Amino acid sequence: MILGTSASWDLGRDGVGAVRASGIYLCSSLRDDVDAKALGDIERITSTTKDIKRLYFCSSRELSEYKRSSIETALLAESDYKFPITVLGASQIIEMASKNVEILNKYYSAEIQDCINALTGDTDEESEIKGLRLALISTGEDSGTIRSEIYSASIIDVLSIKDGQTLQSLCKTISERLHLMRNLAK
């Protein structure tokens, strides 16, 4: 069992193994600069954590087999080959999630529902249909395509609710629905 870690007092790890998985750690990234993030994580975790038995580095980005292999090689060299390292990209994570939907729903059902509600702006049964449509649209796509589809769907939904919005108010409404840290650019 891999458990999440706190958001503060970062020790360079996003997940830590418990019980039989003791010694297994997880680092993850949503950033585009995967190589730099991975190297930063390995430097941090090896300086803060002893007795690492295995490390997983997961990226939300699509990574080719060549890219995964080159990141693994760089991480292994940085850690002096002391423990095995596995790098997973979006394709591998999507495949694992699609084969273990019950686990995904068990641990992330609230987050999934929050995303559906944020994207659709409603809480009725229709939001589930829209969420499933979004999932079908985005499976196997790169993050840019997913963002584009989400923004397009949000614009259509917002325009169908409120007529006569300015570009600025449209950006603000969509940003609020998606709980973005800042407003979308015009």
Side-chain angles (χ1 to χ4, degrees):
M1 173 185 320
I2 307 294
L3 305 172
T5 60
S6 67
S8 60
W9 296 94
D10 184 22
L11 298 176
R13 52 192 186 212
D14 299 305
V16 59
V19 191
R20 292 190 334 214
S22 181
I24 298 175
Y25 295 91
L26 170 76
C27 298
S28 61
S29 175
L30 301 173
R31 293 176 15 186
D32 288 328
D33 60 338
V34 179
D35 300 68
K37 173 67 162 97
L39 287 171
D41 282 353
I42 195 79
E43 289 172 9
R44 180 81 171 134
I45 197 168
T46 54
S47 70
T48 62
T49 308
K50 300 203 181 304
D51 300 323
I52 299 173
K53 293 180 183 164
R54 173 174 284 282
L55 179 71
Y56 289 93
F57 179 83
C58 298
S59 172
S60 63
R61 304 290 177 231
E62 283 290 331
L63 302 176
S64 67
E65 289 303 306
Y66 175 79
K67 185 70 162 175
R68 287 181 54 225
S69 179
S70 65
I71 293 171
E72 281 180 6
T73 301
L75 295 178
L76 285 166
E78 184 67 31
S79 66
D80 295 326
Y81 301 91
K82 292 180 181 171
F83 46 85
I85 297 173
T86 301
V87 174
L88 302 171
S91 296
Q92 293 78 31
I93 295 168
I94 290 169
E95 186 175 342
M96 284 189 291
S98 67
K99 289 182 180 178
N100 299 288
V101 174
E102 65 283 347
I103 294 173
L104 184 68
N105 287 329
K106 180 179 178 181
Y107 292 104
Y108 296 99
S109 61
E111 288 85 352
I112 292 168
Q113 190 59 50
D114 285 347
C115 290
I116 292 170
N117 290 342
L119 292 171
T120 62
D122 57 23
T123 57
D124 63 7
E125 292 157 11
E126 190 177 321
S127 66
E128 184 175 345
I129 294 168
K130 289 179 182 176
L132 291 172
R133 185 176 58 212
L134 175 64
L136 289 172
I137 290 170
S138 62
T139 301
E141 301 284 335
D142 64 29
S143 61
T145 303
I146 294 170
R147 277 193 299 274
S148 177
E149 292 293 337
I150 290 170
Y151 293 156
S152 296
S154 295
I155 290 168
I156 291 167
D157 284 344
V158 170
L159 288 174
S160 70
I161 296 169
K162 298 178 181 178
D163 288 331
Q165 288 199 74
T166 65
L167 180 59
Q168 185 175 2
S169 66
L170 178 63
C171 290
K172 183 178 185 244
T173 302
I174 293 170
S175 298
E176 288 171 355
R177 278 187 162 193
L178 298 177
H179 301 285
L180 300 177
M181 298 296 282
R182 58 187 170 90
N183 279 346
L184 292 172
K186 292 181 182 179

